[in-house]
Amino acid sequence: MYKKSIQAFKESLEVIPGGVNSPVRAFKSVKCDPIFFEKGLGSKLYDIDGNEYIDCVSSWGPLIFGHSDSETISAINLCSEQGTTYGAPTLIETEIAKTIIDMVPSIESVRMVNSGTEATMSAIRLARGYTNKEIIIKFAGNYHGHGDSFLIKAGSGALTLGLPDSPGVTKNIAKDTMIARFNDASSVEEILNKNTDNVAAIIVEPIAGNMGLVTPNYDFLKSLKEMSVRHQCLLIFDEVMTGFRVSAGGAQELYNVLPDITTLGKVIGGGLPVGAYGGNKKIMNFLAPKGPVYQAGTLSGNPLAMNAGLSVLKRLNLNTFKTLENISAKIYDGFINNIKETDSKAVINRVGSMMTLFFTESNSVSNFDDALNCDTDKYAKYFKNMLDLGIYLPPSQYECCFFSTALSDGDIDKIIKSNKIALKNL
Ligand SMILES: *Cc1c(COP(=O)(O)O)cnc(C)c1O
């Protein structure tokens, strides 16, 4: 069934470290060989053996409208006829900036980059330059890309592979990152009190998605905002995952808490490599060429990527989010039923179209410790069962499903029915 993929992995292992260009793709934590894909159409993915899957990952979030979305594809095609890059200003950059500013409540000015990692790295440099302070507070289990300062108790691939502290990150860099507990404001206050006048920023995934989905408790984000004001540091919301995904204005709109800087990625590129960071004009004008903090990019604001991104952002209206919510709620309800009927030990966290099913004995997962207590072996079996039934899930317990508007009622039925079989056969 997976013969060609198995062979393809053997070959890629010879020339690519670990056979993949991003660790979680290797399927290590689900204990099987990775699938090699050939094409995506709507809600479906097709591998090189000709197997068809209903996709519940959406390339880790970007594909709100599913694969090969016709508007995105024609935006890319039309643009490519005029060339692919000029390394000089274009009108589309101003247009996408205006669109982002209209959509994201706290952003008045925005800089485009090429990945989420680049956005977060640049955001903390800006925060440090602006405040003239050095320490960054981050949360255990939050992932902000692979910048040195963030690979300390990080989630996502780093967590999946059990490399919370990567070799190559120097002690000197690590000492400027302090770790607090997600959903525990007092752990932040403690660090702020011990490091008066030297904390540049608190960076947080407002809805954590890289230890599996973990929602913020009531008032957690508001407390962070209040502390950042009182201690004169900046609050950075890393909305690379949640931006344009949980609502048009991201988690900050959903929870009504406005950060000083927001980082964006994933959806913003409509499937092409894009990131961005933005905030109020006073902070953003601290960037070169207007201000002293340097940050640049040869392909930043690339016209193909801007056109792809804009074609998606333009269509993110209330209807889109209603559709996503309906689809996701149906899947959630079906899974909850299946968990009961099969007497499985599992809980599900969900915000809109982001969702994680955790295999755990406890009745909630609300922080990193809870997440670490999950049964990852069981997840591995569940993942494989679902894969064999034609449902593609994230290949790790510590990631989210991302649903797209391309999922039909038939797809949803099949996902729910397969979930029941997969749970029964654990
Ligand atoms: C995916 C992600 C990143 C990193 O983005 P890349 O484009 O993979 O570099 C950063 N922060 C969060 C919250 C993410 O989910």
Side-chain angles (χ1 to χ4, degrees):
M1 185 178 182
Y2 307 113
K3 217 170 123 215
K4 286 186 181 166
S5 279
I6 290 167
Q7 182 56 30
F9 189 48
K10 280 192 188 130
E11 284 173 31
S12 72
L13 276 168
E14 294 298 318
V15 289
I16 302 174
V20 291
N21 281 313
S22 195
V24 76
R25 293 180 198 170
F27 281 24
K28 244 181 151 160
S29 78
V30 288
K31 303 178 174 124
C32 54
D33 279 344
I35 305 299
F36 280 60
F37 290 104
E38 188 164 77
K39 67 178 176 189
L41 269 178
S43 61
K44 308 286 190 337
L45 272 170
Y46 300 85
D47 72 13
I48 58 174
D49 285 284
N51 300 307
E52 179 186 284
Y53 307 89
I54 299 174
D55 184 14
C56 298
V57 183
S58 302
S59 191
W60 305 103
L63 305 178
I64 295 262
F65 300 108
H67 293 273
S68 307
D69 164 63
S70 61
E71 283 195 42
T72 310
I73 300 293
S74 66
I76 295 170
N77 284 346
L78 270 178
C79 172
S80 68
E81 284 167 15
Q82 325 238 24
T84 55
T85 176
Y86 319 113
T90 54
L91 294 176
I92 184 100
E93 291 164 86
T94 311
E95 199 181 337
I96 200 167
K98 281 185 180 164
T99 306
I100 294 164
I101 290 163
D102 276 348
M103 292 173 80
V104 186
S106 68
I107 296 185
E108 293 174 1
S109 172
V110 60
R111 172 65 61 82
M112 305 304 300
V113 292
N114 306 291
S115 69
T117 294
E118 216 186 313
T120 54
M121 279 165 49
S122 309
I124 58 164
R125 183 184 308 137
L126 175 59
R128 284 170 165 155
Y130 182 80
T131 58
N132 200 21
K133 301 176 185 181
E134 292 187 349
I135 290 171
I136 300 293
I137 299 177
K138 86 172 269 292
F139 294 88
N142 277 15
Y143 178 70
H144 304 294
H146 64 87
D148 284 359
S149 303
F150 301 122
L151 285 181
I152 296 143
K153 290 225 188 283
S156 189
L159 174 55
T160 303
L161 293 178
L163 299 171
D165 301 295
S166 171
V169 176
T170 67
K171 286 190 207 86
N172 271 331
I173 285 174
K175 80 173 172 27
D176 286 331
T177 302
M178 307 238 163
I179 306 298
R181 280 185 300 274
F182 193 77
N183 273 333
D184 179 358
S186 68
S187 71
V188 180
E189 184 86 59
E190 208 173 293
I191 298 173
L192 285 165
N193 286 334
K194 275 194 194 140
N195 298 278
T196 7
D197 296 331
N198 201 22
V199 175
I202 304 165
I203 183 165
V204 66
E205 286 183 71
I207 300 165
N210 287 291
M211 45 180 157
L213 187 79
V214 177
T215 55
N217 287 343
Y218 180 74
D219 265 4
F220 174 61
L221 298 174
K222 282 200 170 67
S223 314
L224 295 184
K225 173 74 184 183
E226 183 272 319
M227 283 187 276
S228 72
V229 173
R230 192 152 39 79
H231 290 267
Q232 295 174 323
C233 63
L234 300 187
L235 179 62
I236 304 173
F237 275 8
D238 181 355
E239 298 227 43
V240 168
M241 191 182 271
T242 52
F244 313 111
R245 178 42 88 172
V246 295
S247 84
Q252 57 193 268
E253 184 176 66
L254 213 56
Y255 291 92
N256 195 24
V257 177
L258 300 190
D260 299 293
I261 301 176
T262 303
T263 56
L264 297 163
K266 299 196 167 100
V267 178
I268 206 174
L272 268 67
V274 184
Y277 61 113
N280 69 38
K281 285 186 180 162
K282 191 167 168 225
I283 294 173
M284 294 308 287
N285 282 342
F286 228 72
L287 283 176
K290 180 117 179 138
V293 173
Y294 193 72
Q295 184 268 312
T298 302
L299 291 172
S300 294
N302 170 267
L304 284 185
M306 296 302 101
N307 273 288
L310 194 60
S311 82
V312 170
L313 298 192
K314 275 195 313 214
R315 285 177 286 155
L316 298 181
N317 50 38
L318 285 178
N319 258 338
T320 312
F321 288 99
K322 212 187 266 170
T323 306
L324 282 173
E325 173 60 27
N326 284 342
I327 289 169
S328 313
K330 275 186 205 157
I331 297 172
Y332 174 86
D333 291 344
F335 280 23
I336 290 287
N337 248 334
N338 292 342
I339 289 172
K340 276 195 202 116
E341 285 180 15
T342 57
D343 210 11
S344 303
K345 297 256 180 306
V347 299
I348 304 180
N349 288 346
R350 178 176 81 90
V351 178
S353 57
M354 292 167 58
M355 184 176 112
T356 301
L357 184 159
F358 293 97
F359 289 102
T360 176
E361 299 281 325
S362 63
N363 38 28
S364 71
V365 177
S366 63
N367 57 42
F368 190 46
D369 291 331
D370 293 346
L372 288 182
N373 271 330
C374 291
D375 188 340
T376 54
D377 288 342
K378 204 176 254 181
Y379 185 86
K381 281 186 206 134
Y382 169 69
F383 169 86
K384 190 65 172 43
N385 288 353
M386 288 292 268
L387 192 74
D388 290 344
L389 291 163
I391 313 292
Y392 184 64
L393 297 178
S396 162
Q397 172 71 92
Y398 300 121
E399 306 283 357
C400 301
C401 285
F402 298 90
F403 301 119
S404 79
T405 61
L407 291 166
S408 67
D409 284 340
D411 292 332
I412 296 169
D413 261 5
K414 184 167 177 199
I415 294 170
I416 295 171
K417 286 202 178 104
S418 305
N419 169 261
K420 188 163 176 184
I421 299 169
L423 289 175
K424 239 193 235 158
N425 292 339
L426 283 179

